Amino acid sequence: MEDFIIEVATEKHIPYIPEILKTIEDATKVRGTGIAKRKPEYIEQKIREGKAIIAMKADVFAGFCYIESWDHEKFVANSGLIVKPEFRGKGLAKAIKKKAFEISRSRFPNAKIFGLTTGAAVMKINTELGYVPVTFDELTSDPTFWKGCESCINYDILTRNNFTRCLCTGMLYRPVPKKVVVAYSGGLDTSFTVSYLAHEKGYEVYAACADTGGFSKEQLKQNEENALKLGAKKYITLDVTGEYYEKSIKYMIYGNVLRNGTYPVSVSSERIFQAMAIAKYAKEIGADAIAHGSTGAGNDQVRFDMTFMVMAPEMEIITLTRDMALSRQFEVDYLNAHGFPADFAKLKYSYNVGLWGTSICGGEILDSRQGLPEEAYLKQVEKTGSEEIALEFAQGTLVGVNGRKYTDGVKAIQAVEEIASPYGIGRDMHVGDTIIGIKGRVGFEAAAAMLIIAAHKFLEKFTLSKWQQYWKEQVAVWYGMFIHESQYLEPVMRDIEAMLESSQRNVNGTVVMKLSPKHFETVGVDSPDDLVKNKLGEYGEMQKGWTSDDAKGFIKVCSTPLRAYYLNHKDEAEKLEKEL
């Protein structure tokens, strides 16, 4: 083939439109059959949309084709294929058609590609690309497409046959549907995503719910039923609660992690493990894409996208709610129109429930001057009076609750939650910096998390050295921040975990806490590694490891830097005396 340049047409090719249209018109006259006429404005629109293919030889126009989509992109046509007479017989039409076909497959991966033609050469090209002859009823039913045939000299034949046949042959390419895994929670955004991708984009949808301890069996069963009704080919629950505990919560307990000293990093840590589970499943089934329902204004979009980019870099990430800037009402109307009249009435509050706590957004949260009312919390205050709870730790791990032993950390946490949540314990409001740079505010209730962290931290005061506590606190702050900011996969996190785990070798014992409505307090500790109990002395009572002269000498040495300073700066010493 001669030295042709075949490319997606751009604005620089707009001046060639009159020549393109004249070439189409001349070909129509020669064939005595139809090529639908197009106005200059229509061809220009296709060029500006990047939906036109042009062939050039140097600066001479040689051939053209454009791409149209119909029925909400379910069908795509490569239309107006034309080559100037002097360049025919050189394989140029085939090359242009192939380029248009490749771009159509890329931009509309699940669309059926079709065409109408009377030319044997085009039929041969289409056949080589995988098209097959079909009846017209397998093509688009979009009236706008058929309206384009009005300029064809054979239009009366088409209308006489009620648009079922004409002199043209219908040809269709059916793509193998691409697989997409939707991170499905059962909420509005992910329900819309499942339905839209299945019905409008033609994806083979796999709905996957990654459970980190926040769904009941009934909710998961309903999720499955709904996902299949929405158009998913398959639904799966990925239970990652145990992995979430072993690879995150355990270390957050070791580090007493509270973001900004307040929030037990509940949702932040969950999202990472949900995303990792989704990515792993997507790779197992050979998916082409992963979709989630995050908006463009929050942290979760970063957590999901970053995790997918690392865990499944070869897969496309689809975010309809973010990319289409969808309103809640649009999604509700769409689902209702497609036979899924679920009640997605907008609630005043939105909740995210997991093993390590429940977050609460909306309502008074949006007004910095207000706090949450009692009815905003999912778990109401049901217990009165007070009771004691005993939490037993072995090397920093919760292994007992009120004398009952646990080998499963998840069940131990659930046991604490069952006892403490009816008191309304663990409620608070967190204000912090989001990953994208704006301030965020969230309410939460996390009875087990707050109680376990408080008990663990209290036990560490008795069992760790001064500098163990200090340095562990420094790295734990970074650990919590990195989890929040979607950096769990950063290699340094494994190093921090190793340090935190090492620090727990002597964190053994039982902590007694007193619970009452909306309040808890520490009572005492019983530990074989209690450093308060030692043979050297009892604080405020009696020294056993040194004499009174030792104490005096120690104090004198400790005072040396201060005494040296003020002896050299007597003016400051005199000023100090006057002020005091």
Side-chain angles (χ1 to χ4, degrees):
M1 193 170 71
E2 295 184 26
D3 190 17
F4 295 105
I5 297 175
I6 303 171
E7 61 184 339
V8 177
T10 63
E11 290 184 4
K12 71 180 181 181
H13 298 112
I14 289 176
Y16 292 96
I17 290 177
E19 188 175 0
I20 292 169
L21 292 174
K22 187 175 187 310
T23 303
I24 293 174
E25 184 178 356
D26 289 347
T28 303
K29 293 176 181 177
V30 171
R31 292 179 185 178
T33 55
I35 296 179
K37 293 181 180 179
R38 294 301 185 196
K39 294 181 179 179
E41 295 81 8
Y42 186 80
I43 300 300
E44 180 177 342
Q45 177 188 348
K46 290 299 171 185
I47 291 174
R48 292 187 181 280
E49 291 175 345
K51 295 179 180 177
I53 310 301
I54 195 166
M56 303 289 296
K57 186 172 184 182
D59 59 351
V60 177
F61 166 71
F64 187 76
C65 182
Y66 57 89
I67 300 169
E68 300 175 295
S69 59
W70 312 96
D71 282 340
H72 304 287
E73 300 180 357
K74 292 180 182 178
F75 288 89
V76 169
N78 300 153
S79 305
L81 177 62
I82 194 70
V83 173
K84 289 190 71 175
E86 60 265 39
F87 297 119
R88 292 174 187 166
K90 302 179 185 294
L92 184 57
K94 181 177 180 180
I96 295 172
K97 181 73 173 181
K98 184 177 180 182
K99 182 74 171 179
F101 181 77
E102 290 172 352
I103 293 173
S104 298
R105 292 284 291 120
S106 175
R107 294 194 60 170
F108 309 96
N110 293 311
K112 295 177 180 178
I113 305 176
F114 74 100
L116 294 173
T117 184
T118 56
V122 174
M123 289 184 192
K124 185 174 184 296
I125 294 170
N126 285 349
T127 300
E128 291 176 358
L129 290 172
Y131 289 71
V132 295
V134 294
T135 56
F136 283 12
D137 61 1
E138 289 194 53
L139 307 180
T140 178
S141 59
D142 193 321
T144 309
F145 170 78
W146 297 102
K147 186 175 177 62
C149 293
E150 290 180 357
S151 58
C152 176
I153 60 173
N154 299 316
Y155 186 65
D156 64 319
I157 300 175
L158 181 66
T159 55
R160 285 201 309 271
N161 289 291
N162 197 27
F163 295 88
T164 61
R165 62 184 179 277
C166 191
L167 296 185
C168 285
T169 298
M171 302 195 76
L172 183 69
Y173 171 85
R174 298 182 180 89
V176 176
K178 284 193 171 185
K179 292 182 181 180
V180 61
V181 174
V182 176
Y184 181 69
S185 67
L188 176 60
D189 293 329
T190 57
S191 294
F192 171 83
T193 299
V194 168
S195 182
Y196 193 87
L197 290 178
H199 298 119
E200 307 303 331
K201 295 296 186 179
Y203 278 94
E204 192 174 85
V205 177
Y206 293 75
C209 176
D211 182 17
T212 50
F215 290 93
S216 67
K217 290 181 179 180
E218 293 74 23
Q219 289 172 323
L220 292 173
K221 187 175 185 301
Q222 189 63 58
N223 270 1
E224 179 175 14
E225 292 176 1
N226 289 344
L228 296 177
K229 287 179 183 177
L230 288 162
K233 178 178 180 178
K234 182 178 179 180
Y235 168 88
I236 187 172
T237 294
L238 305 171
D239 186 356
V240 292
T241 311
E243 182 180 8
Y244 173 40
Y245 168 79
E246 286 293 336
K247 294 183 178 180
S248 181
I249 293 178
K250 182 172 71 175
Y251 294 103
M252 290 194 290
I253 295 173
Y254 291 167
N256 307 315
V257 172
L258 294 174
R259 183 160 171 79
N260 289 357
T262 305
Y263 177 55
V265 201
S266 305
V267 178
S268 318
S269 52
E270 286 179 18
R271 290 292 185 259
I272 301 300
F273 285 85
Q274 290 167 345
M276 289 193 297
I278 295 293
K280 181 179 179 182
Y281 175 67
K283 295 184 79 168
E284 287 175 356
I285 67 169
D288 301 287
I290 306 175
H292 62 89
S294 301
T295 69
N299 290 321
D300 285 346
Q301 60 175 331
V302 181
R303 293 169 185 144
F304 280 116
D305 280 16
M306 280 183 61
T307 305
F308 296 153
M309 287 177 184
V310 174
M311 300 288 291
E314 71 282 6
M315 293 186 194
E316 178 188 4
I317 300 172
I318 300 172
T319 53
L320 299 179
T321 306
R322 176 175 64 186
D323 295 344
M324 296 171 66
L326 300 175
S327 70
R328 189 177 183 87
Q329 191 58 53
F330 177 89
E331 294 180 341
V332 169
D333 291 344
Y334 176 88
L335 291 175
N336 287 337
H338 286 76
F340 192 79
D343 181 15
F344 286 109
K346 189 167 184 178
L347 301 174
K348 184 176 182 180
Y349 307 103
S350 62
Y351 300 90
N352 185 86
V353 183
L355 177 66
W356 205 230
T358 298
S359 67
I360 308 168
C361 297
E364 292 79 6
I365 295 289
L366 304 175
D367 185 346
S368 299
R369 299 168 298 179
Q370 296 189 62
L372 287 172
E374 182 68 24
E375 61 268 19
Y377 295 97
L378 293 181
K379 297 177 180 179
Q380 300 295 303
V381 179
E382 299 173 350
K383 288 186 178 180
T384 59
S386 64
E387 68 176 287
E388 289 188 348
I389 184 173
L391 304 183
E392 182 183 350
F393 295 86
Q395 296 185 339
T397 298
L398 181 65
V399 296
V401 180
N402 285 343
R404 180 174 179 177
K405 298 289 187 178
Y406 289 90
T407 57
D408 185 333
V410 172
K411 294 188 181 302
I413 291 171
Q414 291 170 337
V416 176
E417 181 74 18
E418 185 177 351
I419 294 169
S421 62
Y423 283 107
I425 286 171
R427 299 176 175 182
D428 208 338
M429 198 81 64
H430 169 57
V431 179
D433 298 287
T434 65
I435 305 171
I436 59 177
I438 60 176
K439 291 284 185 182
R441 187 175 186 231
V442 63
F444 66 90
E445 50 184 336
M450 298 302 287
L451 199 61
I452 292 168
I453 287 175
H456 179 266
K457 186 174 184 179
F458 189 57
L459 179 60
E460 284 189 325
K461 292 179 180 180
F462 289 81
T463 57
L464 294 188
S465 73
K466 169 183 176 180
W467 294 114
Q468 279 182 305
Q469 290 186 73
Y470 175 84
W471 286 111
K472 193 175 71 67
E473 184 176 343
Q474 309 312 306
V475 299
V477 168
W478 281 95
Y479 190 79
M481 181 170 65
F482 272 26
I483 288 179
H484 171 78
E485 302 205 349
S486 194
Q487 294 293 333
Y488 175 81
L489 296 175
E490 161 61 47
V492 76
M493 293 291 274
R494 310 294 79 80
D495 302 321
I496 294 175
E497 287 167 355
M499 188 273 189
L500 290 175
E501 188 157 18
S502 174
S503 73
Q504 300 300 292
R505 59 190 179 274
N506 295 316
V507 183
N508 304 301
T510 299
V511 181
V512 177
M513 315 284 283
K514 185 176 181 180
L515 313 181
S516 57
K518 300 182 183 180
H519 179 74
F520 67 84
E521 59 185 283
T522 53
V523 175
V525 162
D526 182 12
S527 170
D529 299 292
D530 184 355
L531 295 177
V532 173
K533 299 175 182 177
N534 65 83
K535 298 178 180 180
L536 300 178
E538 296 177 17
Y539 176 71
E541 297 294 331
M542 179 66 68
Q543 79 275 12
K544 298 176 183 178
W546 61 91
T547 67
S548 60
D549 287 338
D550 291 337
K552 292 173 184 178
F554 170 76
I555 296 167
K556 187 172 185 179
V557 171
C558 286
S559 70
T560 298
L562 289 174
R563 289 186 295 120
Y565 180 86
Y566 286 111
L567 284 172
N568 283 357
H569 300 284
K570 292 187 178 181
D571 56 330
E572 292 189 30
E574 292 173 357
K575 182 181 179 182
L576 189 64
E577 288 180 9
K578 290 178 181 179
E579 290 177 349
L580 297 177

